[in-house]
Amino acid sequence: MDLMVDKLFSDLLSESKKYSDTLPPIHQWHPELSGDIAIRIDREGRWFHESVEIKRASIITLFSKLLKLEGSDYFLVTPNEKWRIQVDVAPLFVISASLEIRQGHQAIVFQTLTGETILLGRDNPLQMEQDVASKQAYPMVRVRDNISALISRATFYQLVDWSISRTHQDGQKEQLIKSMGCEFSLGLYSD
């Protein structure tokens, strides 16, 4: 089944791979910590340096390609430097989604604020995270190397619109979204 679905959506897989082919080999870079830098990424994926928003898209795109997650800390890395930055929720932000249906199978394609195309599937799963303080759930999609993107509220509502409902034996209902032959939960609810 996976091979058939992959073949149906080979053009989308290829498009998604194009961006990852432009990424530097940061997994091979292990410089010592250079220190902390006053860069922060807010909940909507906006980048700030010393509390001033970075507006140049080319700089943000470049920095997003240099991100590395170690434990719960995010770093900007080069072969010789490693700077810790602050991230409010996730370093990447999904701003839109499109739905492709082919021969009864569907694929969901996300676009990030930094121009990445992410194909929701086994390599890029969706999961609902929960904020410890507020107990609110929020949707995340894994992009690469355990780096995730927060899915915007408007995009999440699109996913809910495309989802199906399944009733469990205990009477609880679950909203599920399908993409690339995989199912992802958007959450449980009761009537």
Side-chain angles (χ1 to χ4, degrees):
M1 166 90 149
D2 288 344
L3 290 176
M4 182 187 76
V5 172
D6 286 357
K7 192 171 186 177
L8 279 174
F9 297 105
S10 62
D11 59 322
L12 299 178
L13 286 165
S14 177
E15 184 65 30
S16 183
K17 190 175 176 332
K18 273 187 205 173
Y19 190 89
S20 63
D21 288 345
T22 69
L23 296 171
I26 62 171
H27 62 281
Q28 297 174 0
W29 301 343
H30 305 288
E32 292 294 318
L33 179 64
S34 303
D36 293 346
I37 191 168
I39 290 180
R40 180 180 140 255
I41 306 171
D42 77 358
R43 183 178 176 87
E44 283 79 37
R46 294 177 299 202
W47 290 63
F48 295 85
H49 180 252
E50 296 181 351
S51 300
V52 176
E53 186 174 358
I54 301 170
K55 299 276 189 176
R56 292 185 61 192
S58 59
I59 299 264
I60 294 168
T61 299
L62 172 65
F63 283 173
S64 74
K65 291 179 178 185
L66 299 175
L67 283 169
K68 190 173 197 177
L69 175 63
E70 292 180 359
S72 60
D73 291 328
Y74 290 93
F75 301 91
L76 289 177
V77 295
T78 68
N80 300 313
E81 295 181 83
K82 177 179 174 182
W83 295 94
R84 185 182 356 254
I85 64 169
Q86 298 301 309
V87 176
D88 288 357
V89 177
L92 302 173
F93 190 67
V94 171
I95 56 172
S96 67
S98 60
L99 177 65
E100 293 275 338
I101 299 174
R102 299 177 186 170
Q103 297 180 16
H105 298 279
Q106 68 183 36
I108 295 171
V109 182
F110 293 122
Q111 289 293 320
T112 68
L113 192 61
T114 53
E116 284 186 69
T117 299
I118 304 161
L119 188 56
L120 180 62
R122 65 187 165 278
D123 294 333
N124 303 103
L126 180 146
Q127 58 191 47
M128 298 299 292
E129 300 284 337
Q130 188 168 28
D131 183 271
V132 177
S134 71
K135 305 284 187 213
Q136 287 193 320
Y138 52 91
M140 303 277 278
V141 61
R142 188 169 12 141
V143 179
R144 63 178 183 274
D145 302 323
N146 289 324
I147 291 179
S148 294
L150 176 65
I151 298 171
S152 71
R153 183 169 285 143
T155 303
F156 181 71
Y157 290 147
Q158 275 186 304
L159 296 179
V160 170
D161 206 33
W162 298 333
S163 70
I164 59 169
S165 182
R166 180 178 295 150
T167 303
H168 293 271
Q169 289 180 339
D170 63 3
Q172 278 199 314
K173 294 186 178 185
E174 184 175 22
Q175 288 303 118
L176 299 164
I177 190 74
K178 292 183 179 185
S179 182
M180 296 297 294
C182 301
E183 282 187 344
F184 302 98
S185 177
L186 300 180
L188 295 169
Y189 66 96
S190 302
D191 284 333

